[in-house]
Amino acid sequence: MNKTTSIIIPTFNEHDNIKTLVQRLSKALSGYEYEILFVDDNSSDGTAELAESLQTEYPIKVIVRRDKRGLASAVVDALSHVSGNNIIVMDADLQHPPEVVPNLIKAVEQGADIGVASRYIEGGGCQGWSFTRRMISRGAIFLAHLLLPATRKVNDPMSGFFIFKKNVVKDTHLNPAGFKILLEILMIGKFQKVIETPFTFVIREKGESKLNTRQQINYLKHIYSLMQRTGEFLRFIKFILVGGSGVLVNYGLYWILTRFAGFTPLDDASSGGIISGNLAMAISIETSIITNFLLNNFFTFADRNTGGIFRFFGRLLNFNLICLIGGLIQIGIANLLTITLGIYDLIAIPIAIIIATLWNYLLNNWWTWRH
Ligand SMILES: Nc1nc2c(ncn2[C@@H]2O[C@H](COP(=O)(O)OP(=O)(O)OP(=O)(O)O)[C@@H](O)[C@H]2O)c(=O)[nH]1
Ligand SMILES: [Mg+2]
């Protein structure tokens, strides 16, 4: 069994950091079998040359890419050069303390397929971050947890410091845009167990940050691309189709009850339509909620429809509650748009329906059919 750990380190103009990095890694990893792979995107400050000069003393490979840029794609390219079965990814700028690497190796030894050095568990943190950067980071994680359910197992799916077994990415096609390679691996890779180990993301002392607004927009594109590739976008479309079928059930049943089953139509006030018509409507609404629930349970969320009869009824209750609040949201927004803002009702109501539908989808995805 090959026990080598391959440490992939993407670099772009990190000349002033890599010597210290290699020295600290070598100290932290004495007694371990390991190799370091620098993937450099043709830095102009001599990073690759310095890395090559360190090869005489340390187990280092240097890959230089002359026609490409990008952190995540650098990691993917490096994968075809690794000789170890366990692969670590980390930054070159010492923000990922090399002393944490043995803890990541331990995670794999304890049976994890993926080990994440996490800022957002007990004992972890971010040094010197402004309130805004903290909020952006938390918001990015929230978005991933909301839209990409497989990431919910991990508190810090945005971490750039992690380990994984080579098998996790075997026969997969990784295609990340931007910075977030762990996100790609969590969504596309094959794994069972993840262990997180805490670390503090320290301040960069040398060299410059390459994280910019463009990377943050790339992140949104990456989430959308993952939603498409993993079927999460299709799930949303299915939910909408099921919702459409619910409208037909709702309307159709009201028609049957009031025309053929003895209920009085709502507009027939003189012969008791107010009570009987509303009752027919309430029965129709609840029936459509139940048919929507069944279709979503066995179609839209068929892959997450686990557990016995109690879970089933628990979900039905959740679904009812969320749809009820969704209805109130629709009424609230429609009132706000028309009465307070003076918007034409036939424009206001579709807007309110879209918002309520998003609410229904996201909440049910998050809670009723929790992954
Ligand atoms: N090969 C390669 N490496 C890159 C590229 N962009 C960034 N890196 C490396 O990826 C790591 C992380 O980049 P940073 O700029 O430090 O990003 P960050 O740590 O998220 O942001 P800061 O906290 O501002 O430093 C560093 O080792 C960079 O040298 C790139 O386009 N190609
Ligand atoms: Mg950095």
Side-chain angles (χ1 to χ4, degrees), residues 221-232:
K221 284 193 198 156
H222 191 194
I223 287 211
Y224 178 67
S225 140
L226 280 170
M227 282 182 75
Q228 282 199 316
R229 284 182 283 148
T230 57
E232 287 303 319

Side-chain angles (χ1 to χ4, degrees), residues 64-91:
V64 179
R65 306 194 308 167
R66 297 198 191 280
D67 46 6
K68 276 201 223 168
R69 262 300 303 273
L71 195 168
S73 77
V75 174
V76 174
D77 282 355
L79 287 176
S80 52
H81 298 270
V82 299
S83 46
N85 273 334
N86 300 331
I87 299 163
I88 287 180
V89 176
M90 69 188 291
D91 289 356

